[in-house]
Amino acid sequence: MERPDAREMLYEGKAKQVFATDDPERVIVRYKDDATAFNAQKRGTVAGKGEVNNAVTALLYPELEDFGVPTHFLARLSEREQLVRRVRIVPVEVIVRNRAAGTFASRYGVAEGRPLDPTVIEFCLKSDALGDPPMNAATAVALGHASEEELETLFDLAAEVNDYLLARFAVAGLDLVDFKLEFGVTGDGELVLADEISPDTCRLWDAETGEKLDKDRFRRDLGGVEEAYHEVRRRLEATVGAALDLPEHDDADHEHHDHEHHDHLHAHREGEEPHDA
Ligand code: UDP
């Protein structure tokens, strides 16, 4: 792909900058080394973090596209930059939890690492000012943050992303404890996975030793932060193309698959229309 020029900066967040290009439907995302935690009360930098998060996202998003998840990702442009479709970010953070950890473990008073069955999918309002408060679907709809239909799609896509990532990280010797996703709406009105998937947004534990290889090393001052980020990248790159132990997901059996393999995640919801992902 021809490298588009970055024009004016449209937005600067905690870990990324977004630049316009000559194409109004495409923007360049630049990943920084800046790290924040606990709602930006803790700040620092992690050398090389931007490169790792750019590389990990640029590796995983095309794989997720192949798995059937639409994303905003178009191309990695450089060590720190990627080209993505311009989207309006839906202000609903989707948290997927395979094990209890972090705020979930403290909120419910359970041990970190406790397996969660079914997988827990939570919505939070994307608001730094309010500390990303948890929000149920009715609240999101009543406050105008997303439509009911959008929330169903977010839920289904998050479950699909989890199916893929659990297997993808497992083959890299990593246990995917929990993660956060953000979605956006393109100019054409398509709801796509946006933002990033990286050690900043996932909890990843070594499958053998349980060692934390993610942002908790920064949050909890465990040391070895840079090494952990690089190790995640290294393991993912070393396992590109490896056979994954995925739940059934072939097109011929699509309908069947959709209904069956998400059933355990949807068990608590009623009156749901079949989702044609
Ligand atoms: N997470 C994130 N950004 C946020 C909140 C959470 O990327 O603003 C990720 C976090 O890294 C973890 C998962 O989502 O992998 C669940 O985080 P939790 O709700 O337990 O909050 P935390 O303990 O990170 O404050």
Side-chain angles (χ1 to χ4, degrees), residues 14 38 93 95-97 101-104 107 122 132 178-180 199-203 215-216 219-220:
K14 288 170 284 187
F38 310 117
E93 297 191 349
I95 309 260
V96 181
R97 302 180 185 277
T103 53
F104 183 93
R107 191 193 305 152
E122 299 177 340
D132 297 344
D178 61 24
F179 59 98
K180 183 257 320 178
D200 266 3
T201 64
C202 301
R203 285 195 171 90
K215 192 169 161 184
D216 273 345
R219 292 190 189 95
R220 302 177 189 187

Side-chain angles (χ1 to χ4, degrees), residues 68-88:
V69 176
T71 80
H72 74 156
F73 181 81
L74 294 169
R76 178 162 169 250
L77 299 174
S78 70
E79 286 292 327
R80 286 182 184 273
E81 294 167 302
Q82 55 184 242
L83 185 68
V84 304
R85 295 165 78 186
R86 187 175 192 160
V87 295
R88 171 183 63 80

Side-chain angles (χ1 to χ4, degrees), residues 40-53:
Q41 287 169 43
K42 180 181 173 84
R43 291 170 184 275
T45 58
V46 177
K49 176 171 84 77
E51 290 176 13
V52 169
N53 291 356

Side-chain angles (χ1 to χ4, degrees), residues 105-152:
S106 40
R107 191 193 305 152
Y108 297 113
V110 298
E112 274 211 317
R114 172 172 162 160
L116 299 173
D117 185 12
T119 296
V120 173
I121 300 186
E122 299 177 340
F123 298 132
C124 295
L125 176 62
K126 181 174 160 67
S127 166
D128 287 339
L130 299 172
D132 297 344
M135 176 171 69
N136 68 15
T139 305
V141 174
L143 299 183
H145 297 307
S147 68
E148 210 153 316
E149 194 192 0
E150 281 174 328
L151 293 177
E152 294 224 343

